[in-house]
């Protein structure tokens, strides 16, 4: 197996510039979630050129694709490419940009899958690369999982740039709600008593959430914003809306918190007399379930590439990602590689755009591709 791992690392060296060009292309052509038409077509085309069988679009998602290499014998390992950018950057805060490094994820997963395909005669197994758009918005991996995309997959691998080197990564389960309150307009000075203040209902929801934070416990995080609070101060707002994110250390705790928050909304409606409607997001993001054997493979392979001193994931202070749902279906290893030696900027910050396109990130891209490819070989050889 060590000889095969050396071969796949050499293969990755041979396509290094190709992988960097892929990362650069996605970086220089940022497209926000659900609009990644150019990015997905580009990646699918690159895989076709390398001999992969490509299905595009995939499972009814216009910007998703599935690329396969192998004859169906042996184990199957899947790499998950991401390529959506974030909105709101640039001088006028109206431009998309890869402030989360998804261009890097596309490049590293493409390099890992292609390197393995190029030495496929040395092992018995199958390589799959799935293009998973809209990680920053709707979470297409959740939809893909529900449609059976990960059935029959023996392991899923992906890496992300972050502050620390970590294999034992964590993610908060998450869902979000839109609350809408319907009141009655009235002149705010002359006869406010004739109005029903929909904005007051939003304020009461926020006060209710704050009053309940101790009872939610340390494993729950809630953040909210008012998206419509009325048009002018001298009219009692007849309509108000708010957007609420709820996160928890696991999906079961999340559902308990959700029930309480909906009840807070009902209470605010009762107190103000405003009508109340609520809508939950289509997809609920899960926490990450770890597979110890898969994590051990990845840790050992990273050590061979000079990445040691791995940090433990902090389940109370982390983000949410749709790969958590995948981990509930099949063994999943989601690893981060630290970038603080490049810049102190964190993901989603303006400064991280520079990180995502940097030479330092490209060096990490090759480490990620090699580590994922070697870990795939470990899985295939079990």
């Amino acid at each position: 197996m060590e000889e095969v791992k050396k071969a796949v690392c050499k293969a990755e060296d041979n396509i290094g510039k190709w992988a960097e060009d892929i990362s650069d292309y996605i970086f220089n052509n940022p497209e926000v979630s659900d609009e990644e038409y150019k990015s997905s077509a580009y990646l699918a085309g690159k895989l076709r050129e390398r001999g992969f069988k490509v299905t595009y679009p995939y499972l009814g998602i216009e910007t998703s694709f599935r690329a396969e290499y192998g004859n169906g014998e042996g184990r199957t390992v899947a790499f998950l490419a991401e390529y959506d950018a974030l909105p709101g950057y640039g001088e006028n805060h109206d431009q998309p940009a890869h402030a989360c490094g998804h261009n890097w994820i596309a490049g590293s997963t493409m390099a890992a899958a292609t390197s393995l395909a190029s030495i496929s005669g040395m092992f018995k197994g199958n390589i799959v690369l799935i293009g998973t758009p809209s990680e920053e918005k709707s979470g297409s991996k959740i939809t893909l999982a529900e449609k059976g995309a990960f059935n029959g997959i023996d392991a899923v691998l992906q890496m992300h740039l972050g502050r620390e080197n970590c294999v034992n990564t964590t993610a908060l389960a998450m869902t979000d709600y839109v609350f809408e309150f319907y009141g009655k307009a009235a002149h705010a000075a002359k006869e406010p008593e004739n109005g029903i203040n929909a904005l007051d209902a939003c304020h009461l929801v926020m006060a209710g959430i704050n009053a309940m934070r101790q009872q939610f416990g340390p494993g729950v995080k809630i953040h909210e914003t008012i998206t419509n609070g009325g048009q002018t101060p001298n009219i009692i707002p007849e309509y108000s809306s708010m957007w609420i994110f709820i996160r928890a250390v696991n999906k079961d705790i999340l559902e308990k918190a959700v029930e309480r928050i909906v009840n807070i909304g009902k209470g605010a409606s009762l107190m103000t007399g405003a009508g109340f409607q609520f809508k939950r997001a289509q997809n609920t993001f899960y926490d990450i379930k770890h597979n110890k054997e898969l994590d051990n493979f990845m840790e050992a392979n990273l050590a061979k590439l000079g990445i040691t001193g791995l940090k433990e994931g902090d389940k109370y202070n982390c983000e949410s990602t749709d790969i958590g749902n995948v981990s509930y279906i099949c063994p999943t290893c989601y690893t981060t590689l630290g970038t603080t030696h490049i810049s102190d900027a964190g993901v989603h910050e303006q400064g991280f755009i520079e990180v995502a396109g940097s030479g330092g990130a490209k060096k990490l891209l090759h480490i990620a591709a090699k580590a994922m490819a070697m870990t795939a070989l470990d899985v295939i050889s079990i």
Side-chain angles (χ1 to χ4, degrees):
M1 179 53 65
E2 290 307 311
E3 288 304 312
V4 184
K5 287 184 177 181
K6 288 179 183 178
V8 83
C9 287
K10 185 176 180 180
E12 201 282 329
D13 288 335
N14 292 338
I15 62 162
K17 179 64 165 56
W18 179 83
E20 291 179 11
D21 288 347
I22 287 173
S23 179
D24 285 344
Y25 179 88
I26 302 299
F27 182 82
N28 291 323
N29 295 275
E31 297 172 298
V32 296
S33 297
D34 298 318
E35 298 178 17
E36 314 96 326
Y37 297 103
K38 185 184 293 186
S39 299
S40 57
Y42 172 82
L43 295 173
K46 287 291 183 182
L47 288 163
R48 282 197 185 100
E49 290 172 3
R50 293 281 169 167
F52 282 77
K53 178 186 175 183
V54 178
T55 303
Y56 173 64
Y58 180 51
L59 292 181
I61 301 175
E62 288 186 312
T63 56
S64 179
F65 61 88
R66 181 185 180 108
E68 300 175 89
Y69 199 102
N71 60 11
E73 297 181 4
R75 292 177 175 267
T76 300
V77 177
F79 303 93
L80 306 187
E82 293 175 9
Y83 34 90
D84 57 326
L86 288 159
Y89 295 90
E91 185 177 344
N92 297 318
H93 307 287
D94 60 354
Q95 297 297 313
H98 281 284
C100 202
H102 288 186
N103 61 298
W104 182 93
I105 295 176
S108 61
T109 51
M110 293 278 283
T114 303
S115 299
L116 284 163
S118 70
I119 64 155
S120 60
M122 300 180 71
F123 62 86
K124 183 180 178 181
N126 306 284
I127 307 304
V128 174
L129 190 146
I130 301 176
T132 60
S134 196
E135 190 275 339
E136 298 290 358
K137 187 179 178 183
S138 59
S140 72
K141 295 183 193 68
I142 302 170
T143 304
L144 290 168
E146 290 172 349
K147 292 185 174 184
F150 302 103
N151 296 347
I153 301 293
D154 294 291
V156 164
L157 300 169
Q158 190 190 68
M159 286 201 184
H160 204 299
L161 295 173
R163 290 198 181 276
E164 299 173 335
N165 299 319
C166 181
V167 172
N168 183 31
T169 52
T170 54
L172 293 170
M174 186 193 83
T175 190
D176 64 273
Y177 275 85
V178 172
F179 280 11
E180 295 180 292
F181 293 98
Y182 299 86
K184 180 184 176 185
H187 195 292
K190 184 179 181 181
E191 46 186 26
E193 67 277 9
N194 289 335
I196 296 175
N197 196 318
L199 179 59
D200 280 348
C202 284
H203 289 157
L204 287 168
V205 169
M206 297 174 79
I209 289 171
N210 286 333
M212 289 290 292
R213 288 192 189 275
Q214 184 179 24
Q215 279 66 51
F216 284 127
V220 176
K221 293 186 176 183
I222 305 157
H223 14 281
E224 65 280 325
T225 186
I226 294 174
T227 50
N228 189 316
Q231 303 305 312
T232 181
N234 65 344
I235 301 175
I236 298 295
E238 66 177 344
Y239 173 79
S240 189
S241 62
M242 60 191 304
W243 193 7
I244 307 170
F245 278 35
I246 309 106
R247 305 182 199 251
V249 293
N250 66 54
K251 65 184 185 70
D252 296 327
I253 293 175
L254 176 72
E255 294 306 324
K256 292 178 181 177
V258 160
E259 184 178 359
R260 284 183 166 181
I261 289 168
V262 170
N263 283 336
I264 289 171
K266 292 176 180 177
S269 171
L270 183 64
M271 284 187 282
T272 58
F276 176 47
Q277 291 185 358
F278 58 91
K279 183 179 180 180
R280 182 170 176 164
Q282 179 180 349
N283 288 332
T284 296
F285 291 63
Y286 289 178
D287 51 301
I288 294 177
K289 286 183 69 173
H290 279 273
N291 180 283
K292 187 62 177 175
E293 185 175 31
L294 193 54
D295 285 356
N296 287 343
F297 287 150
M298 179 60 75
E299 187 171 345
N301 289 318
L302 283 172
K304 292 173 184 176
L305 297 166
I307 304 294
T308 58
L310 301 173
K311 301 293 184 181
E312 286 291 311
D314 182 350
K315 69 178 182 178
Y316 294 108
N317 297 290
C318 53
E319 306 88 2
S320 303
T321 172
D322 54 1
I323 203 169
N325 299 62
V326 180
S327 74
Y328 272 77
I329 295 173
C330 58
T332 301
C333 185
Y334 177 67
T335 300
T336 59
L337 292 184
T339 60
T340 52
H341 64 289
I342 302 172
S343 166
D344 190 47
V347 292
H348 290 207
E349 294 179 16
Q350 177 76 35
F352 204 80
I353 300 171
E354 250 182 75
V355 174
S358 68
K362 288 183 172 69
K363 291 179 181 178
L364 291 176
L365 184 157
H366 299 304
I367 291 173
K370 289 180 173 72
M372 286 190 289
M374 289 193 288
T375 301
L377 288 171
D378 287 322
V379 172
I380 288 169
S381 68
I382 293 175

